Amino acid sequence: MTPLPMARLQQLRRATQLGFFALFLLAPALNLFRFDLSETQLWVLGMRWSLGITALQQHQVSPTEAALSLILRGILPALLFVAAFLAVAWRYGRVYCGWLCPHFSLVEGLNGMLHRASGRFSLWDRQTSLRAGQAPQRRWWPLFLLSCLFFGLLWSITLLTYLLPPARVWSHLLSANLSAGEARFIFIAGGAFTLELLLARHLFCRFGCAVGLFQSLAWMANPRALVVAFDRRRARECRDCSTAQAPGGSACDTACPMRLHPRNIKRMMFSCVQCGQCLTECESTHAGNTPNLQWTVGLDAVRETLRQKAHKD
């Protein structure tokens, strides 16, 4: 089977990101998954999910039946979910981050706005990464700042609906009749999320996200896992890419939303999210020729790791 071109694969990835982003926002309202603090009730796939503890307190079941219910309806599903999640990460790395995570979708979108406004993907980049003939457009600054504020507040409201009835939260919000607790949560959490989106988007993904950390640990433990392979025999071509396509650095480096260097060894790519943007840039700059960067998995990934070690030595 002929692999999809990277540009087409990026379109598919955008579609999965948008779909999961919508699911994240709508899940509480549809009772797909939320924990209602007002009722101390877990909702899963539109159903009340009981672990049997309430029935035990009301003497409706025996302790043995309650323990069995806790194992079958609580502990076992959680263990199976974690095992499946880490199994995917063991094989493919942080694919959840790059293909589904709502936060990473915001990281990429806000990076694009900031790049148009300042020529940088992050406020902490030391130099611009605009291509020849491009220039920063200041009109993007208001959109970038307002987007950080909007999504920071939307994030806090959405998380609140995972803990309280969504209809109540939104009715209080739209009627400007929030309770003191609801207002404090939205204000404090919204402010924290806004600052994070403004100043530390990819930094949180790299150093602050526990979900990403455990995916990376599973990925690093598997030498056969999916990796970005670099053809070092053609490394000289990257010099032309640096001058012609990305004056501030090679195109693959500037494309990475995590601010990594894709041609580096696997150990230095610990927080790679397998978004494939570096491969897309490499493919586009080679104009029909075989790109220097390609995904490899299985035995090819082992060979790539061995080549990396030999090159380092």
Side-chain angles (χ1 to χ4, degrees):
M1 180 182 296
T2 303
L4 286 175
M6 289 306 303
R8 178 74 179 277
L9 203 64
Q10 287 299 327
Q11 294 177 354
L12 176 62
R13 189 175 71 89
R14 297 298 185 196
T16 63
Q17 285 180 310
L18 288 173
F20 200 81
F21 195 95
L23 180 64
F24 169 74
L25 296 178
L26 296 174
L30 300 176
N31 287 327
L32 296 179
F33 182 80
R34 69 183 181 90
F35 184 78
D36 194 328
L37 291 178
S38 62
E39 298 180 350
T40 61
Q41 175 65 57
L42 177 65
W43 288 83
V44 178
L45 300 178
M47 300 179 293
R48 293 177 180 270
W49 195 265
S50 173
L51 300 180
I53 297 175
T54 302
L56 177 64
Q57 292 173 338
Q58 297 175 355
H59 305 289
Q60 296 175 352
V61 297
S62 68
T64 302
E65 291 173 326
L68 185 61
S69 176
L70 178 63
I71 293 173
L72 294 179
R73 297 175 65 87
I75 297 176
L76 185 59
L79 290 177
L80 290 176
F81 175 80
V82 171
F85 186 79
L86 291 180
V88 173
W90 186 80
R91 178 69 170 176
Y92 298 107
R94 294 177 63 168
V95 67
Y96 165 78
C97 297
W99 287 71
L100 296 175
C101 178
H103 179 270
F104 188 73
S105 301
L106 288 181
V107 169
E108 292 187 273
L110 293 173
N111 278 1
M113 292 182 194
L114 182 61
H115 191 252
R116 290 181 175 89
S118 66
R120 295 174 170 83
F121 288 102
S122 168
L123 294 176
W124 311 115
D125 285 354
R126 295 184 178 181
Q127 59 183 6
T128 62
S129 54
L130 291 168
R131 294 189 176 185
Q134 292 182 330
Q137 303 176 50
R138 294 183 179 180
R139 59 188 176 89
W140 283 93
W141 273 110
L143 182 59
F144 169 71
L145 297 174
L146 288 174
S147 296
C148 290
L149 177 61
F150 172 78
F151 284 109
L153 292 174
L154 179 62
W155 223 246
S156 64
I157 296 169
T158 301
L159 290 183
L160 187 59
T161 61
Y162 275 87
L163 303 175
L164 296 175
R168 188 177 81 185
V169 172
W170 281 105
S171 65
H172 288 180
L173 184 67
L174 295 176
S175 63
N177 191 30
L178 290 170
S179 67
E182 293 170 342
R184 280 195 297 268
F185 183 93
I186 293 175
F187 177 77
I188 296 173
F193 287 133
T194 298
L195 289 176
E196 186 267 336
L197 293 174
L198 179 64
L199 302 173
R201 295 177 303 282
H202 67 280
L203 294 177
F204 172 80
C205 292
R206 290 183 65 176
F207 306 113
C209 179
V211 176
L213 172 64
F214 284 106
Q215 287 180 93
S216 292
L217 291 174
W219 178 62
M220 293 295 292
N222 180 17
R224 295 171 176 258
L226 183 71
V227 295
V228 175
F230 172 52
D231 189 351
R232 287 177 172 79
R233 295 169 301 178
R234 300 165 55 198
R236 188 179 299 274
E237 297 176 14
C238 295
R239 298 179 182 177
D240 297 333
C241 170
S242 176
T243 57
Q245 301 295 335
S250 296
C252 60
D253 293 342
T254 57
C256 179
M258 296 292 279
R259 320 313 301 135
L260 302 175
H261 301 290
R263 292 169 294 165
N264 220 328
I265 61 176
K266 180 178 179 179
R267 178 170 54 83
M268 303 302 293
M269 296 289 291
F270 181 80
S271 54
C272 173
V273 296
Q274 308 293 10
C275 66
Q277 292 198 53
C278 57
L279 285 82
T280 304
E281 285 294 320
C282 190
E283 183 181 78
S284 66
T285 57
H286 278 76
N289 297 324
T290 302
N292 282 9
L293 296 180
Q294 291 184 330
W295 267 323
T296 58
V297 68
L299 289 177
D300 289 336
V302 176
R303 296 187 187 100
E304 173 64 17
T305 301
L306 294 175
R307 282 195 296 268
Q308 290 175 349
K309 290 182 178 179
H311 179 77
K312 182 180 178 182
D313 295 339

